[in-house]
């Protein structure tokens, strides 16, 4: 039985969407139980299918980590503490990104051996149904090559567990595809990934080629990853706005829209961030999923789905084991190299 | 009289588009003279309106700087050398980016006091006709805060000279808009721009907000700038492809396209990179404009236009003067602070 703790209050759309998502999830999956933190009176509807913990305070969207840690009776902080104290499998929230992720890290601690946690998310690609796993997209302001190497390990496991890719093609985001290109950090990471024979390492990839569908996992430092992600978001919004203006031009163009409506719907489904399931911090000693702040029931459902998948596949244990293997490999290599 | 040197051979579309562009430019501007390097027999048509220099060798698109420097009889290398040896105003090429820009830097040298040259380009925004100036988008793999500060000086002058913006709003590309956000490099740059009262400095801007139209100049290190630019390019291509599929879906959607054709044309005009005029290396002792490799006559015309504008406004001298002013300001500030 997978035990998921839910922060029901912190999203822009309140507890209603959370309640709906939980009801649907319970219908679709029978090996899951929910512990839901929030205003008791708003959670009446699910009291028979979930354990309710009354935690009425709401963390504001712009809350920082310290503020969250102080709000002990908030739905967010209670949810995180439940995971810590009762060993539940995962926590899901739609609240303040910075606040939730920092409070999770401080409360749940890092996986021993992991140098830095990475914010991991997914992106659609031109290749139908194929999703791209990206990390770090903003947990860090700068990273070392060794940290990027660890991100590759965690990203590979995420792609295997969540998308079922057997042998994910892993690339470094870079300013050129040639091996010798890159910042000092990516050059160091490239060296480590090559020397240690990282499985299916494809080398460097330019930002314009990551949507082609040949990349499963894209590794980068938190600063460039954030710039990449938000640049893509901004461009999609920009181009989308231009398409909308094209349709709104006059009565004829409005009529034209009727003809392409279905195609446009397929397009927005491809780009739908709500089906992605939010972001998570990989590298901490637990599973903490952050849905979009303005998630509806559908988006929250998918955030729960990602939590469920990662918990059933025990991703934290897998990361720990992989780190041990790596450590052994490095020690063996050093012994062999020195003898 | 502005004297422009043209590399006629190195673009994907050969000398034909160059010849056309020069003919048109001569019609539109009367205070310009051209020195054109390339295969003499292909430039017959313009021999009465331009000085022709026979330089038949063609630098390949993947040529590196050393290869270019060695190809002394190539149209590219001859063009750069003409600027150096005869003091002409600018050089324009559509050849290999890395090769052209490095060969220009090595041949023309840096402006004294400039620590690093920056690759500068422009981007459309949601605000009609407003262009965004971006630098560095790829000349460097890493930068210091002081280098970013110099990029801000050069970007501001570029925006003033090429787009006629009187007091450009200058921002740092960052992983958050708050002052305390950023990589160590952007934090240092933020400090310098604030302390030295950089005119109309707007602080940090997130990658998703740069197209809003409130940013005139966006400053970043070469690695993130390159990731940003190529990420936007990739997304625009991705979304554009999805729109195309929506129209191609069936006969009705194809008919729908007829209705929105004009609107879609306006959209592609907004996104048209060809009207931007290519990229240039700011900080070197001369004007070297790099058009897109697959420029047609229209795009090449605009690359010439940018060279013409920068030369008539004497941007190199303006940068030198601004550096002197800054130096004085810093010295004065130090004197005042220490007394």
């Amino acid at each position: 039985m997978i035990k998921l703790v839910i922060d029901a209050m912190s999203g822009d759309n309140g507890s209603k969407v959370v309640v709906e998502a939980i009801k649907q999830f319970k219908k679709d999956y029978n090996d899951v139980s929910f512990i839901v933190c929030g205003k008791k009176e708003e959670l009446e509807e699910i009291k028979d299918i979930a354990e309710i913990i009354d935690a009425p305070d709401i963390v504001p969207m712009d809350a920082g980590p310290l503020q969250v840690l102080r709000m002990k009776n908030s739905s967010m902080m209670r949810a995180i503490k439940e995971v810590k104290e009762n060993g539940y499998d995962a926590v899901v929230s739609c609240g303040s990104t910075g606040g939730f992720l920092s409070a999770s890290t401080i409360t749940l601690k890092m996986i021993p051996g992991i140098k830095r946690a990475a914010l991991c998310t997914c992106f659609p690609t031109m290749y139908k149904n194929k999703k791209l796993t990206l990390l770090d997209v903003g947990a860090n302001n700068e990273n070392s090559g060794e940290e990027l190497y660890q991100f590759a390990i965690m990203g590979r496991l995420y792609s295997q567990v969540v998308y079922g890719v057997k042998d994910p093609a892993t690339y470094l985001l870079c300013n050129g595809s040639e091996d010798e290109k890159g910042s000092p950090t990516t050059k160091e990471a490239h060296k480590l990934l090559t020397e240690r024979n990282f499985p299916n390492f494809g080398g460097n990839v330019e930002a314009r080629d990551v949507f082609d569908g040949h990349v499963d996992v894209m590794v980068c430092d938190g600063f460039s990853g954030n710039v990449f992600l938000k640049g893509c978001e901004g461009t999609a919004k920009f181009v989308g706005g231009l398409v909308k203006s094209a349709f709104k031009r006059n009565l004829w163009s409005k009529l034209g829209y009727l003809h392409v409506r279905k195609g446009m719907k397929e397009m927005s489904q491809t780009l739908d961030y709500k089906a992605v399931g939010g972001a998570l911090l990989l590298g901490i000693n637990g599973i903490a999923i952050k849905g979009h702040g303005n998630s509806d029931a559908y988006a929250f459902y998918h955030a729960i789905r990602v939590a469920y998948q990662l918990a059933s596949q025990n991703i934290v244990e897998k990361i720990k084991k992989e780190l041990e293997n790596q450590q052994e490999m490095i020690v063996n290599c050093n012994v062999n190299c020195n003898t």
Side-chain angles (χ1 to χ4, degrees), chain A residues 153-167:
Chain A
I153 294 175
M154 299 194 290
R156 179 176 163 85
L157 286 168
Y158 182 90
S159 176
Q160 286 174 331
V161 166
V162 176
Y163 295 113
V165 184
K166 275 196 187 156
D167 187 19

Side-chain angles (χ1 to χ4, degrees), chain A residues 132-305:
Chain A
L132 172 73
T133 299
L134 291 82
L135 74 170
D136 173 27
V137 293
N140 302 285
N141 294 331
E142 61 169 341
N143 289 105
S144 68
E146 183 70 42
E147 285 157 18
L148 260 54
Y149 179 78
Q150 293 193 335
F151 295 172
I153 294 175
M154 299 194 290
R156 179 176 163 85
L157 286 168
Y158 182 90
S159 176
Q160 286 174 331
V161 166
V162 176
Y163 295 113
V165 184
K166 275 196 187 156
D167 187 19
T170 302
Y171 286 79
L172 284 168
L173 179 65
C174 198
N175 57 348
S177 57
E178 303 88 343
D179 285 351
E180 66 278 11
K181 281 284 172 89
S183 66
T185 302
T186 65
K187 281 180 190 166
E188 174 66 14
H190 193 287
K191 195 171 150 255
L192 294 175
L193 288 159
T194 310
E195 277 177 5
R196 297 178 191 169
N197 289 319
F198 191 85
N200 207 0
F201 172 53
N204 295 328
V205 63
E206 288 191 280
R208 67 157 75 91
D209 298 326
V210 290
F211 306 111
D212 285 4
H214 71 291
V215 180
D216 291 301
V217 179
M218 187 187 87
V219 173
C220 49
D221 69 278
F223 186 85
S224 345
N226 193 271
V227 162
F228 172 80
L229 187 73
K230 289 179 182 161
C232 296
E233 244 180 89
T235 310
K237 200 176 133 199
F238 181 20
V239 178
L242 290 173
V243 173
K244 221 174 253 176
S245 320
F247 284 124
K248 279 189 180 160
R249 216 169 165 273
N250 56 35
L251 183 64
W252 293 114
S253 59
K254 280 179 194 161
L255 280 173
Y257 178 70
L258 297 179
H259 295 306
V260 296
R261 206 164 33 176
K262 275 202 182 168
M264 294 305 281
K265 207 178 157 192
E266 279 172 11
M267 166 177 157
S268 50
Q269 274 165 356
T270 306
L271 293 176
D272 187 9
Y273 75 86
K274 289 175 185 164
V276 158
L280 86 157
L281 212 56
L282 277 175
I284 61 171
N285 215 340
I287 298 165
I289 305 287
K290 165 67 185 72
H292 280 264
N294 63 349
S295 289
D296 55 15
Y298 175 74
F300 203 89
Y301 178 95
H302 282 287
I304 297 175
R305 177 185 54 77

